Amino acid sequence: MPLPADRPALDLLEAHLEALWDGTGLPLAHDPVALAAEGRDELVHWAVDRLRRIPREPKDVFTRHVGDLLTEVRSRRCPWNAAALRLLGDTYTFAATGPRRYEDWARDVLAVLHRSVPDPRGWIRVDGDRTNSARHTAPAYPFDPPDSSELPRRLYPLEAEAAVAALAVMAEEWQSESAPVRARPDLNSVLADARTLLDRYGPTARYWTNATAAASDPAPDFVAAGLQGTGSHGFLTSAYLNGLDLLDDLGLIAVNDDEVGVFWSFGAY
């Protein structure tokens, strides 16, 4: 399917907003705002106009408003982005998709964990550690993934509905969770967002998790157990960096012929 005509303009706009939000300046030779303003998409024009109206000082307020604008642009851009932000935007999680380039899909998963490949569709990633200085010490931070030959041995296959449930509980916190997914009045909406994310990979997708409950059952009830009741084989670094110990994790991997999706929840103290 051909790319939408205005996708380059939206990509440039997102890159510009992200650079402003990170405080890294403008990394491109041309002004993305000027280029984006030439686009035909109403979202582009709306976002550029709103950006121009944000006062540049004080700087911390400007940065916060730019971050809010970036989130809004990403949410409006496509339903998948919106579902990802609703489900995972408030918890310590990682969500990214990369291209399927190898018969051994574990190699593709490692490329995603190391942030060495882009999303094939230009959709968002949920990755609060993308610019974390801890990555200077541990490049895949917060992960310390095994080699591709070892990675599948730490994973168990999941049925599709169990994969939805595993992703849904990533909306919870590992510590002091006051509203587990199973008790939320919007449980059906949470599950619907998880299905939207996994529908991306199609009906033939296969799923794996590091949750030990799946060792004997490919359909464990993650929602009933809750995030805090889920044990797993750890994929995280044991290094103490930037004041954080990483002790808990739950991961979900989706694989089809074209893409690999990686979703992970972290417990940090």
Side-chain angles (χ1 to χ4, degrees):
M1 180 168 53
L3 294 176
D6 284 313
R7 176 170 170 180
L10 281 167
D11 286 346
L12 287 168
L13 178 61
E14 278 199 32
H16 182 65
L17 292 173
E18 192 165 56
L20 291 174
W21 186 42
D22 288 343
T24 57
L26 193 59
L28 303 175
H30 302 287
D31 180 1
V33 171
L35 292 173
E38 299 175 2
R40 298 187 299 273
D41 194 292
E42 290 183 7
L43 176 57
V44 173
H45 287 284
W46 171 84
V48 169
D49 180 67
R50 184 168 168 184
L51 176 62
R52 287 171 174 160
R53 294 170 184 267
I54 300 175
R56 297 281 170 151
E57 298 292 341
K59 187 169 291 186
D60 61 330
V61 176
F62 172 73
T63 301
R64 184 172 69 251
H65 284 307
V66 167
D68 292 341
L69 177 58
L70 177 60
T71 298
E72 183 69 18
V73 168
R74 287 171 166 169
S75 293
R76 293 189 183 193
R77 187 167 180 178
C78 72
W80 196 91
N81 286 359
L85 291 168
R86 281 194 303 266
L87 185 68
L88 304 174
D90 293 330
T91 55
Y92 187 9
T93 52
F94 174 89
T97 299
R100 180 81 186 275
R101 300 184 299 180
Y102 302 102
E103 182 176 352
D104 176 10
W105 54 262
R107 297 174 65 184
D108 296 312
V109 169
L110 289 178
V112 173
L113 297 182
H114 283 275
R115 287 90 160 176
S116 62
V117 291
D119 186 293
R121 308 188 198 190
W123 294 352
I124 68 164
R125 294 182 169 203
V126 178
D127 182 9
D129 290 304
R130 181 181 57 84
T131 59
N132 193 332
S133 61
R135 293 190 61 210
H136 299 312
T137 301
Y141 188 89
F143 300 100
D144 181 17
D147 293 337
S148 60
S149 61
E150 176 65 22
L151 188 147
R153 299 176 192 170
R154 300 194 193 180
L155 300 171
Y156 304 104
L158 275 184
E159 294 181 2
E161 279 303 300
V164 169
L167 185 52
V169 297
M170 294 185 193
E172 298 180 10
E173 301 283 356
W174 281 96
Q175 290 287 318
S176 304
E177 176 55 67
S178 59
V181 164
R182 62 180 176 272
R184 295 184 189 181
D186 64 343
L187 170 60
N188 289 336
S189 296
V190 173
L191 291 170
D193 280 340
R195 286 193 181 92
T196 293
L197 296 184
L198 297 186
D199 281 349
R200 165 180 184 160
Y201 308 100
T204 62
R206 294 166 292 157
Y207 301 100
W208 283 267
T209 181
N210 65 331
T212 54
S216 57
D217 179 7
D221 192 340
F222 288 100
V223 172
L227 194 60
Q228 296 177 48
T230 302
S232 65
H233 292 303
F235 274 64
L236 306 181
T237 179
S238 60
Y240 181 75
L241 299 171
N242 292 349
L244 280 183
D245 275 320
L246 300 165
L247 299 177
D248 301 304
D249 69 318
L250 171 63
L252 173 68
I253 293 170
V255 178
N256 65 20
D257 290 340
D258 301 311
E259 297 179 327
V260 293
V262 181
F263 304 88
W264 229 271
S265 172
F266 313 111
Y269 312 97

